[in-house]
């Protein structure tokens, strides 16, 4: 058993352990934190600590998967328990383990009924999410992918808001529609693999060696892409997201935004593009178009919302549009930016949901119109909200900027190469629209901040609100630290994935792009020249 | 790390901001003051002042004789071909900016101590102010475009926070938001330009970029100009040029020292600085230069005409700032980058002085900003009056005040430079006339005649405290003598060297010279005389109309024709609101949200769900609950199967 | 060709037996379909079972092996159980509602 398995199994066994504790207080306990909360906090923290150990031992310079574990499960069908982690997944894996304790902490007050079950589901959710990030066997991946739905289904369905049933059914149905397509694709792939290698196999590395005709690839890619696009969610498969977010309990929203949405992007980068390289390249303009529509459309919809949580949910669609744009640009800058942006989005949107949850606990409303002038009553809360807002609008110096900047830069580079090669301006036009997202992003976020925090404090109900408690600060401060840490010193994050992404791009980038992107020799001296100028000293 | 002195210069204001910020947060948490306005003000002022002193040391001692010094604390990001270092570089251009920014900032910080006295949020105020200086230093010392961009947006953030400093009033918060968003539109252009440049150059270091456009340019003529224009869009946002100037007049909602520091002396000039920084790019892009020239000229005239009819003392100064920035862009567009920076510097002195003076007036008037209710303040506040007048003389372009040298040289360069244009020159002359007129109108209405305000206000009138008048005096003195370091050779007959020009010229002509058409000295003298005459004309006109104002100024609501147009600022805000902002809101709410999202997408999802539901209802008719019916179905099915088996197999 | 009655019954291509089976089965079906009381319907089911049994026995004889007879023995057992349970249910239903009319029991309507 390797360290990956340990990290995975800690929440699983923790959850099982919690089941064995006799339930004392299921339906009526008034105290803000119960024993279950503390136990769950301990378990998730333990998983976090173990994963940090793994991070320390992670070798930045190595190419390929590390900490691999492989056990045979049903060898006749090539089903193996095969785990491993590389530069692409490690940041997302760490994001998951780190975000979990804080989302547990943020639900101490929010969850007042059936606490034991709630924390058990949270732990199971962590187990499935972590599993999906490190699975190296397509079938295992699929199992984790589907298992993820069950805890989320109950988290929204039991502890959600008034329209929770509609939201949770919609969430599950949307996701399952995509997943079933993917299952069909997986079966087809396995049969292809048997025809080629003579035996069933679901190993990623084996499947990637398959030589699939383009027509078949396109169908398979469509099946996989549907599953991932719904999860991301990309326009026009996004409508489940606002409903699910609005109804979910705070921690559910934090995890949904922080981790679950990353599954889609991760699926594209880990499976969609490598398995069906040619098809992905063919579909790339379409995917980028959808991504850019998502950026602008999500931002416009966020503008039109009157509910805080919905606004944040729609902003997620916009942010994840950037991620998808970057992934399909297939330049190292853009892909690194996309992965970092997934992490960033997890941090800033996760924190925003936590903040909205805190204000909801105080006022039991999320309507923007009910607020106004809160900065005067809640200075610390406002400062925290402002910092996260700035990270969300990608202000330079915060994490959001690094991600968006790299994505846009890398995508523009690819679009420019495309333009030079074919004289097509399509990509460049897309880039203009994508970049316009920074304006809209600032507009809806700052307008919301203005309506909630500035202006006169008119509503009497807002006059006696309490500022952040110590527990809430403990939840928020790590988020804020990460905002500035990634924003000011992104290098340690970028180098984690540099090697993996570079070899990834090397493999899947289209040939013509490669040629156009190599800088001609005559410019190579430039960098040295500029440093020479700088170094002139008296 | 070599030259860590630069790092200290940059980090000092940040340290001040952090310290004050933490104290502000702790005050809020513990609900009692750890320290109040006095200590935080002194802390903020001393960090900036120290930064100024160290800058002087760095520029005059460390850099003496050298072209540039730089310091690289760490590598910021690397990804693929992108490699960005956090590098701070002082060359001659950024040295001038550095001294102007830290110097003026120090003065205004000092002024703020008196101004903000008594405000509960003063610790927060000084936090923002210090943070602003830090961001501004990043902007001017950043050696690569992303680092510059950090400062670029950082100053925008501080501007947002400070405009909305008194956030309890909705208009002020809205003004801050407007400033940030309009700036973001500019940043959108800046980003696109940056991407375009990176895709071609493969590096974002400023020296690399300039060098590329100077020598290795493999971009087509079209794209070169597009890149330069994209960068200029960024400049129009930050420096409030047409079409993105609309935020600056609204930004006057902030505290007056903020208007002086951010919205007059430093931040808004960042666009000019940026264009000069990338003069290698602009010299390779003649069309973009023309755009800069024309936008500058038109903005100068446009906003000067608006200023003619404004009654709010700060609004007049705001439009005047927009107009003066237009002058700077005219210079840059004509290829006279040195002169653009020269005017930037002199403008920083006299405009900061004017704003601080207006702050002093507003302070005395108890918050009143309308000049229709002022008048005769001369005898109540002599120090303010004197400094305000000196600065006015400077901005109007009277020799030998600072503004004269810079403005005259701008007009001369627009007239004579190969990139210049006689029509734009004419526009500039008219704008200069307007400038002299509205500035003296302001002076006469505020300080001359008899007091037109209420009794209570008259009783309250007093000269401001020393913390406020001393900065005024410093800045007034600079407005007088500031121009003397850049006296053109022609005027001094070569007796006094043109220090400013000699200092900056090598840096700003590294990537090519601009051709200046040959004119006789007589022409040059004639033009100079003309611009002086214009300043006098503006003054005389204003004196004639407003010297002894016996009547009340008409109510703006009664204006008709041109005056109505000017009073309403050409209705530009309304036009933007109607044709850009509202359509976006309408599109978002009524089309995207209510139709596309709710009806079409959700409709399709829910529709397919309810479609299946109807199928189920239909099928459930067969489920009658009658066992015999089921038996019948079974029999029927068995018969069908039997027939099927019999005839098909 | 033999000449016993048994041969007559089972011989001549089995027309007679098959006819009996079919008639029996159709009676069973008709009983199940058209009688409105549960008891009668149960009897209809039993008739059908008996028809099947007869069929099985005839073919066992025809093929000269015992499989069909074994199967029919098993059906006896199952049918006996079924009748026992079925009648028990019917009796209980009657006790509960006072009727064994089939129209009464339609809770499963969709």
């Amino acid at each position: 058993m390797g360290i990956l398995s340990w990290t995975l199994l800690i929440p699983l066994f923790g959850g099982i352990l919690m089941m064995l504790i006799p339930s004392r207080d299921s339906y009526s306990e008034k105290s803000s934190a119960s024993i279950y909360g503390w136990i769950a906090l301990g378990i998730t923290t333990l998983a976090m600590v173990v994963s940090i150990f793994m991070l320390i031992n992670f070798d930045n310079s190595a190419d390929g998967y590390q900490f691999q574990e492989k056990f045979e499960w049903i060898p006749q069908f090539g089903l193996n328990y095969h785990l491993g982690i590389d530069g692409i997944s490690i940041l997302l894996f760490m994001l998951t383990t780190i975000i979990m304790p804080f989302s547990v902490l943020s639900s101490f007050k929010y969850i007042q009924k059936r606490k034991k079950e709630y924390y058990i589901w949270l732990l199971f959710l962590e187990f499935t999410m972590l599993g999906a990030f490190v699975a190296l066997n397509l079938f295992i991946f699929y199992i984790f992918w589907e298992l993820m739905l069950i805890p989320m289904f109950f988290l929204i369905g039991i502890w959600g808001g008034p329209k929770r049933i509609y939201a949770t059914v919609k969430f599950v149905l949307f996701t399952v529609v995509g997943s079933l397509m993917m299952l069909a694709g997986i079966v087809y792939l396995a049969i292809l693999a048997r025809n080629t290698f003579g035996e069933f196999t679901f190993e990623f590395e084996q499947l990637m060696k398959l030589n699939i005709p383009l027509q078949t690839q396109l169908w398979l890619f469509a099946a996989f892409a549907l599953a991932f696009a719904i999860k991301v969610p990309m326009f026009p498969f996004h409508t489940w997201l606002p409903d699910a977010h609005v109804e979910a309990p705070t921690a559910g929203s934090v995890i949904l935004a922080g981790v679950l949405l990353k599954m889609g992007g991760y699926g594209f980068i880990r499976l969609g593009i490598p398995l069906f390289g040619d098809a992905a390249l063919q579909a790339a303009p379409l995917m980028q178009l959808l991504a850019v529509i998502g950026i602008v459309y999500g931002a416009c919809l966020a503008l039109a919302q009157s509910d805080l949580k919905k606004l944040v949910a729609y902003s997620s669609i916009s942010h994840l549009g950037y991620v998808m744009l970057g992934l399909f640009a297939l330049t190292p800058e853009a892909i690194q930016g996309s992965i970092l942006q997934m992490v960033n989005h997890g941090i800033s949107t996760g924190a925003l949901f936590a903040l909205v949850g805190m204000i909801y606990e105080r006022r039991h409303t999320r309507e923007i119109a009910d607020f106004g002038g809160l900065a005067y009553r809640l200075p610390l809360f406002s400062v925290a909200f402002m910092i996260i807002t700035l990270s969300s609008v990608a202000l330079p110096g915060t994490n959001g900027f690094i991600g968006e900047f790299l994505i846009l830069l890398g995508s523009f580079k690819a679009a420019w190469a495309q333009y030079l090669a074919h004289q097509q301006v399509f990509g460049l036009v897309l880039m203009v629209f994508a970049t316009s997202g920074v304006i809209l992003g600032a507009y809806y976020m700052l307008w919301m901040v203005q309506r909630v925090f500035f202006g006169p404090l008119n509503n009497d109900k807002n006059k006696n609100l309490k500022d952040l408690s110590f527990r809430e600060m403990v939840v928020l401060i790590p988020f804020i630290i990460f905002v500035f840490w990634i924003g000011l010193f992104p290098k340690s994050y970028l180098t984690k994935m540099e090697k993996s992404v570079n070899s990834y791009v090397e493999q899947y980038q289209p040939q013509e792009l490669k040629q156009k992107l190599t800088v001609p020799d005559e410019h190579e001296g430039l960098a040295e020249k500029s440093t020479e100028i700088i170094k002139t000293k008296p | 790390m070599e030259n860590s002195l630069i790092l200290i210069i940059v980090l000092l204001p940040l340290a001040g901001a952090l310290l004050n910020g933490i104290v502000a947060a702790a005050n809020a948490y513990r609900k009692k003051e750890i320290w109040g306005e006095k200590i935080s003000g002194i802390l903020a002022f001393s960090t900036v002042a120290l930064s100024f002193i160290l800058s002087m040391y760095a520029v005059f001692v460390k850099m003496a004789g050298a072209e540039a010094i730089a310091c690289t604390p760490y590598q910021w990001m690397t990804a693929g071909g992108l490699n960005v270092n956090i590098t701070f570089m002082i060359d001659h251009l950024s040295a001038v900016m550095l001294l102007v920014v830290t110097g003026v900032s120090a003065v205004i910080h000092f002024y703020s101590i008196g101004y903000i006295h008594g405000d509960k949020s003063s610790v927060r105020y000084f936090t923002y102010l210090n943070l602003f200086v830090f961001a501004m230093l990043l902007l001017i010392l950043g050696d690569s475009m992303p680092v510059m961009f950090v400062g670029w947006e950082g100053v925008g953030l501080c501007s947002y926070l400070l405009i909305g400093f008194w956030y309890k009033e909705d208009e002020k918060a809205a003004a801050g938001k407007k400033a940030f968003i309009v700036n973001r539109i500019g940043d959108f252009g800046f980003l696109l330009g940056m991407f375009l440049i990176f895709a071609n150059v493969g590096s974002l270091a400023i020296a690399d970029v300039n060098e590329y456009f100077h020598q290795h340019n493999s971009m087509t003529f079209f794209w070169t100009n597009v890149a330069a224009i994209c960068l200029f869009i960024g400049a129009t946002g930050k420096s409030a040029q047409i079409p993105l100037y609309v935020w600056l007049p609204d930004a006057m909602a902030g505290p007056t020292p903020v208007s002086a520091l951010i919205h007059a002396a430093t931040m808004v000039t960042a666009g000019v600085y940026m264009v000069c920084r990338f003069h290698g790019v602009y010299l390779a892009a003649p069309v973009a230069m023309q755009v800069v020239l024309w936008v500058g000229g038109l903005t100068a005239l446009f906003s000067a005409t608006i200023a003619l009819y404004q009654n709010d003392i700060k609004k007049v100064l705001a439009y005047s700032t927009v107009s003066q920035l237009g002058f700077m862009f005219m210079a840059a567009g004509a290829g006279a980058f040195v002169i653009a920076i020269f005017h930037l510097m002199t403008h920083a002195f006299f405009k900061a002085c004017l704003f601080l003076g207006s702050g002093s007036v507003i302070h005395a008037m108890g918050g009143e900003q309308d000049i229709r209710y002022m008048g005769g303040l001369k005898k109540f506040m002599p120090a303010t009056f004197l400094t305000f007048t000196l600065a006015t003389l400077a901005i109007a372009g009277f020799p030998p005040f600072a503004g004269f040298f810079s403005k005259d040289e701008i007009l001369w360069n627009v007239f004579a430079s190969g990139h210049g244009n006689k029509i734009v020159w004419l526009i500039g002359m008219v704008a200069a006339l307007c400038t002299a007129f509205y500035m003296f109108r302001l002076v006469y209405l505020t300080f001359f005649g008899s007091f037109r305000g209420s009794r209570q206000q008259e009783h309250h009138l007093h000269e401001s405290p020393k913390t406020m008048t001393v900065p005024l005096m410093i800045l007034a003195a600079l407005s007088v003598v500031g121009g003397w370091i850049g006296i053109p050779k022609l005027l001094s007959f070569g007796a006094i060297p043109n220090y400013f020009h000699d200092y900056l010229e090598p840096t700003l002509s590294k990537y090519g010279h601009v051709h200046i058409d040959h004119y006789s000295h007589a022409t040059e003298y004639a033009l100079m005389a003309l611009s002086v005459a214009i300043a006098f004309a503006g003054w005389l006109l204003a004196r004639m109309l407003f010297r002894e104002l016996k009547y009340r100024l008409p109510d703006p609501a009664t204006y008709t024709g041109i005056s109505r147009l000017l009073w309403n600022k050409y209705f530009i805000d309304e036009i933007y609101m109607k044709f850009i902002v509202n359509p976006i809101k309408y599109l978002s709410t009524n089309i995207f949200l209510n139709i596309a999202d709710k009806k079409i997408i959700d409709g399709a999802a829910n529709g397919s769900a309810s479609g299946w539901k109807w199928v189920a209802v239909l099928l459930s008719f067969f489920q009658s609950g009658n066992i015999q019916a089921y038996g019948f179905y079974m029999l029927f099915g068995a018969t069908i199967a039997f027939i099927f088996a019999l005839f098909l197999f | 060709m033999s000449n016993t009655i048994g041969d007559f019954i089972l011989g001549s291509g089995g027309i007679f037996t098959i006819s009996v089976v079919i008639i029996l089965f159709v009676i069973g079906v008709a009983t199940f379909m058209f009688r409105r009381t549960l008891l009668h319907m149960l009897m209809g089911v039993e008739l059908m079972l008996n028809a099947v049994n007869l069929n099985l026995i005839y073919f066992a004889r025809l093929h000269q092996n015992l499989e069909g007879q074994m199967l029919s023995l098993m059906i006896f057992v199952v049918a006996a159980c079924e009748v026992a349970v079925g009648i028990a249910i019917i009796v209980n239903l009657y006790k509960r509602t006072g009727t064994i009319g089939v129209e009464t029991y339609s809770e499963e309507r969709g």
Side-chain angles (χ1 to χ4, degrees), chain B residues 483-495:
Chain B
W484 296 354
I485 56 169
I487 299 172
K489 290 234 164 58
L490 197 69
L491 261 185
S492 63
F493 305 104

PDB file of all heavy atoms in Angstrom, chain B residues 483-495:
ATOM      1  N   GLY B 483      10.158  74.444 -14.177  1.00  0.00           N
ATOM      2  CA  GLY B 483      10.425  74.422 -15.604  1.00  0.00           C
ATOM      3  C   GLY B 483      11.827  74.843 -15.964  1.00  0.00           C
ATOM      4  O   GLY B 483      12.268  74.693 -17.106  1.00  0.00           O
ATOM      5  N   TRP B 484      12.525  75.401 -14.972  1.00  0.00           N
ATOM      6  CA  TRP B 484      13.815  75.996 -15.311  1.00  0.00           C
ATOM      7  C   TRP B 484      14.878  74.970 -15.627  1.00  0.00           C
ATOM      8  O   TRP B 484      15.936  75.320 -16.143  1.00  0.00           O
ATOM      9  CB  TRP B 484      14.277  76.914 -14.172  1.00  0.00           C
ATOM     10  CG  TRP B 484      13.332  78.082 -14.001  1.00  0.00           C
ATOM     11  CD1 TRP B 484      12.281  78.411 -14.792  1.00  0.00           C
ATOM     12  CD2 TRP B 484      13.350  79.048 -12.967  1.00  0.00           C
ATOM     13  NE1 TRP B 484      11.639  79.512 -14.347  1.00  0.00           N
ATOM     14  CE2 TRP B 484      12.263  79.945 -13.207  1.00  0.00           C
ATOM     15  CE3 TRP B 484      14.174  79.290 -11.856  1.00  0.00           C
ATOM     16  CZ2 TRP B 484      11.989  81.033 -12.375  1.00  0.00           C
ATOM     17  CZ3 TRP B 484      13.901  80.366 -11.042  1.00  0.00           C
ATOM     18  CH2 TRP B 484      12.814  81.224 -11.288  1.00  0.00           C
ATOM     19  N   ILE B 485      14.624  73.729 -15.279  1.00  0.00           N
ATOM     20  CA  ILE B 485      15.648  72.735 -15.627  1.00  0.00           C
ATOM     21  C   ILE B 485      15.514  72.317 -17.082  1.00  0.00           C
ATOM     22  O   ILE B 485      16.330  71.579 -17.593  1.00  0.00           O
ATOM     23  CB  ILE B 485      15.559  71.465 -14.734  1.00  0.00           C
ATOM     24  CG1 ILE B 485      14.154  70.866 -14.821  1.00  0.00           C
ATOM     25  CG2 ILE B 485      15.945  71.768 -13.309  1.00  0.00           C
ATOM     26  CD1 ILE B 485      14.059  69.491 -14.207  1.00  0.00           C
ATOM     27  N   GLY B 486      14.473  72.795 -17.730  1.00  0.00           N
ATOM     28  CA  GLY B 486      14.310  72.405 -19.130  1.00  0.00           C
ATOM     29  C   GLY B 486      14.126  73.605 -20.039  1.00  0.00           C
ATOM     30  O   GLY B 486      13.276  73.579 -20.924  1.00  0.00           O
ATOM     31  N   ILE B 487      14.901  74.666 -19.813  1.00  0.00           N
ATOM     32  CA  ILE B 487      14.761  75.850 -20.661  1.00  0.00           C
ATOM     33  C   ILE B 487      15.345  75.547 -22.040  1.00  0.00           C
ATOM     34  O   ILE B 487      16.483  75.097 -22.158  1.00  0.00           O
ATOM     35  CB  ILE B 487      15.508  77.039 -20.035  1.00  0.00           C
ATOM     36  CG1 ILE B 487      14.906  77.351 -18.664  1.00  0.00           C
ATOM     37  CG2 ILE B 487      15.434  78.261 -20.942  1.00  0.00           C
ATOM     38  CD1 ILE B 487      15.681  78.364 -17.881  1.00  0.00           C
ATOM     39  N   PRO B 488      14.560  75.782 -23.077  1.00  0.00           N
ATOM     40  CA  PRO B 488      15.093  75.498 -24.410  1.00  0.00           C
ATOM     41  C   PRO B 488      16.310  76.375 -24.725  1.00  0.00           C
ATOM     42  O   PRO B 488      16.391  77.519 -24.277  1.00  0.00           O
ATOM     43  CB  PRO B 488      13.917  75.814 -25.326  1.00  0.00           C
ATOM     44  CG  PRO B 488      12.889  76.481 -24.511  1.00  0.00           C
ATOM     45  CD  PRO B 488      13.181  76.231 -23.094  1.00  0.00           C
ATOM     46  N   LYS B 489      17.234  75.806 -25.468  1.00  0.00           N
ATOM     47  CA  LYS B 489      18.493  76.501 -25.794  1.00  0.00           C
ATOM     48  C   LYS B 489      18.203  77.820 -26.493  1.00  0.00           C
ATOM     49  O   LYS B 489      18.901  78.799 -26.331  1.00  0.00           O
ATOM     50  CB  LYS B 489      19.344  75.618 -26.706  1.00  0.00           C
ATOM     51  CG  LYS B 489      19.894  74.403 -25.980  1.00  0.00           C
ATOM     52  CD  LYS B 489      21.411  74.336 -26.147  1.00  0.00           C
ATOM     53  CE  LYS B 489      22.014  73.396 -25.141  1.00  0.00           C
ATOM     54  NZ  LYS B 489      21.487  72.032 -25.219  1.00  0.00           N
ATOM     55  N   LEU B 490      17.134  77.809 -27.263  1.00  0.00           N
ATOM     56  CA  LEU B 490      16.808  78.970 -28.062  1.00  0.00           C
ATOM     57  C   LEU B 490      16.535  80.195 -27.188  1.00  0.00           C
ATOM     58  O   LEU B 490      16.907  81.312 -27.513  1.00  0.00           O
ATOM     59  CB  LEU B 490      15.562  78.637 -28.877  1.00  0.00           C
ATOM     60  CG  LEU B 490      15.269  79.538 -30.050  1.00  0.00           C
ATOM     61  CD1 LEU B 490      16.311  79.328 -31.134  1.00  0.00           C
ATOM     62  CD2 LEU B 490      13.889  79.210 -30.587  1.00  0.00           C
ATOM     63  N   LEU B 491      15.905  79.950 -26.026  1.00  0.00           N
ATOM     64  CA  LEU B 491      15.535  81.063 -25.179  1.00  0.00           C
ATOM     65  C   LEU B 491      16.708  81.607 -24.399  1.00  0.00           C
ATOM     66  O   LEU B 491      16.836  82.811 -24.211  1.00  0.00           O
ATOM     67  CB  LEU B 491      14.462  80.601 -24.184  1.00  0.00           C
ATOM     68  CG  LEU B 491      13.014  80.932 -24.531  1.00  0.00           C
ATOM     69  CD1 LEU B 491      12.119  80.523 -23.402  1.00  0.00           C
ATOM     70  CD2 LEU B 491      12.873  82.427 -24.809  1.00  0.00           C
ATOM     71  N   SER B 492      17.534  80.704 -23.919  1.00  0.00           N
ATOM     72  CA  SER B 492      18.659  81.143 -23.111  1.00  0.00           C
ATOM     73  C   SER B 492      19.874  81.419 -23.983  1.00  0.00           C
ATOM     74  O   SER B 492      20.950  81.684 -23.472  1.00  0.00           O
ATOM     75  CB  SER B 492      18.991  80.092 -22.061  1.00  0.00           C
ATOM     76  OG  SER B 492      19.385  78.913 -22.714  1.00  0.00           O
ATOM     77  N   PHE B 493      19.697  81.341 -25.249  1.00  0.00           N
ATOM     78  CA  PHE B 493      20.789  81.522 -26.201  1.00  0.00           C
ATOM     79  C   PHE B 493      21.954  80.611 -25.884  1.00  0.00           C
ATOM     80  O   PHE B 493      23.113  80.997 -25.977  1.00  0.00           O
ATOM     81  CB  PHE B 493      21.241  82.988 -26.268  1.00  0.00           C
ATOM     82  CG  PHE B 493      20.101  83.904 -26.564  1.00  0.00           C
ATOM     83  CD1 PHE B 493      19.524  84.681 -25.573  1.00  0.00           C
ATOM     84  CD2 PHE B 493      19.565  83.966 -27.850  1.00  0.00           C
ATOM     85  CE1 PHE B 493      18.449  85.498 -25.845  1.00  0.00           C
ATOM     86  CE2 PHE B 493      18.491  84.789 -28.126  1.00  0.00           C
ATOM     87  CZ  PHE B 493      17.922  85.564 -27.123  1.00  0.00           C
ATOM     88  N   GLY B 494      21.637  79.427 -25.429  1.00  0.00           N
ATOM     89  CA  GLY B 494      22.678  78.451 -25.168  1.00  0.00           C
ATOM     90  C   GLY B 494      23.434  78.674 -23.882  1.00  0.00           C
ATOM     91  O   GLY B 494      24.353  77.936 -23.559  1.00  0.00           O
ATOM     92  N   ALA B 495      23.023  79.706 -23.107  1.00  0.00           N
ATOM     93  CA  ALA B 495      23.780  80.020 -21.897  1.00  0.00           C
ATOM     94  C   ALA B 495      23.526  78.976 -20.816  1.00  0.00           C
ATOM     95  O   ALA B 495      24.441  78.561 -20.114  1.00  0.00           O
ATOM     96  CB  ALA B 495      23.386  81.392 -21.389  1.00  0.00           C
TER      97      ALA B 495
END
